[in-house]
Amino acid sequence: MDILCESVRKTYGAHVALEDVSFTTDFAHTLALIGPSGGGKSTLLRILAGLEIPDTGTVSLGGQAMIFQESWMHTYRVRVGIVFQSYNLFPHLTAMENVWLPLRHVHRLPDAEQRALAALDRFRMADHAGKKPSELSGGQRQRVAIARALAADPEVLFMDEPTAALDPE
């Protein structure tokens, strides 16, 4: 898979999160982005995942230029998975519902419940499927977030500090 960024800039009001980011890389399995806190890594991942739109610049993934228009982005987003640094679980839903919801309503998979349970089981969270995020430890929340991202079998998986709350095992 290759990623190409050319002159990418992203601001939030007066704050410049990314300034003239340009790089190209080709990777077969895993690519790590390392840098200082506040250096724009999360912003760049959100752009690559199609969740943020750069102010300027171009981005290509797998040889296909990203078109930052909602109709194209929706089709793109169903091909990628993302694990957020802060989990981004819905607090009013159970672990099972957090995994099941995108499978059913975004991916429209008929076997959404089975996939969700299998993903939770893969991360030893099946016994906690009925618990809400507030009833889970940080590591358990992160495992639910990873299960949610992997359950749809994405082509590309973007992970923002995925092991921060996890035990070494």
Side-chain angles (χ1 to χ4, degrees):
M1 177 71 66
D2 65 304
I3 298 174
L4 169 70
C5 290
E6 292 179 325
S7 303
V8 174
R9 176 182 169 87
K10 179 64 180 174
T11 59
Y12 299 100
H15 176 72
V16 178
L18 298 174
E19 180 70 61
D20 195 29
V21 173
S22 297
F23 69 92
T24 184
T25 186
D26 190 11
F27 61 98
H29 187 263
T30 304
L31 174 69
L33 183 60
I34 301 169
S37 180
K41 300 178 303 293
S42 295
T43 299
L44 182 59
L45 281 177
R46 291 181 61 80
I47 289 171
L48 293 172
L51 301 175
E52 294 280 349
I53 298 172
D55 299 330
T56 60
T58 59
V59 179
S60 296
L61 187 68
Q64 183 176 25
M66 294 179 71
I67 301 168
F68 294 100
Q69 296 172 353
E70 193 54 40
S71 59
W72 188 90
M73 294 306 293
H74 175 74
T75 303
Y76 173 77
R77 287 183 196 122
V78 299
R79 297 174 36 219
V80 303
I82 186 164
V83 176
F84 299 93
Q85 182 176 356
S86 58
Y87 323 121
N88 283 24
L89 299 176
F90 292 107
H92 63 288
L93 299 179
T94 65
M96 176 67 164
E97 291 165 336
N98 267 284
V99 177
W100 171 85
L101 185 76
L103 296 173
R104 177 68 178 186
H105 295 287
V106 176
H107 299 280
R108 303 198 189 296
L109 296 172
D111 60 342
E113 283 190 52
Q114 294 87 353
R115 279 184 183 236
L117 191 55
L120 288 170
D121 189 51
R122 179 178 179 184
F123 291 94
R124 298 189 325 255
M125 291 300 297
D127 290 344
H128 303 283
K131 294 182 181 177
K132 293 188 176 173
S134 63
E135 301 172 295
L136 301 172
S137 70
Q140 289 172 325
R141 288 181 208 154
Q142 189 69 331
R143 287 189 280 157
V144 171
I146 294 169
R148 176 182 59 192
L150 289 174
D153 194 27
E155 292 175 35
V156 179
L157 182 62
F158 296 105
M159 304 176 88
D160 193 355
E161 299 197 29
T163 60
L166 298 179
D167 294 328
E169 65 181 71

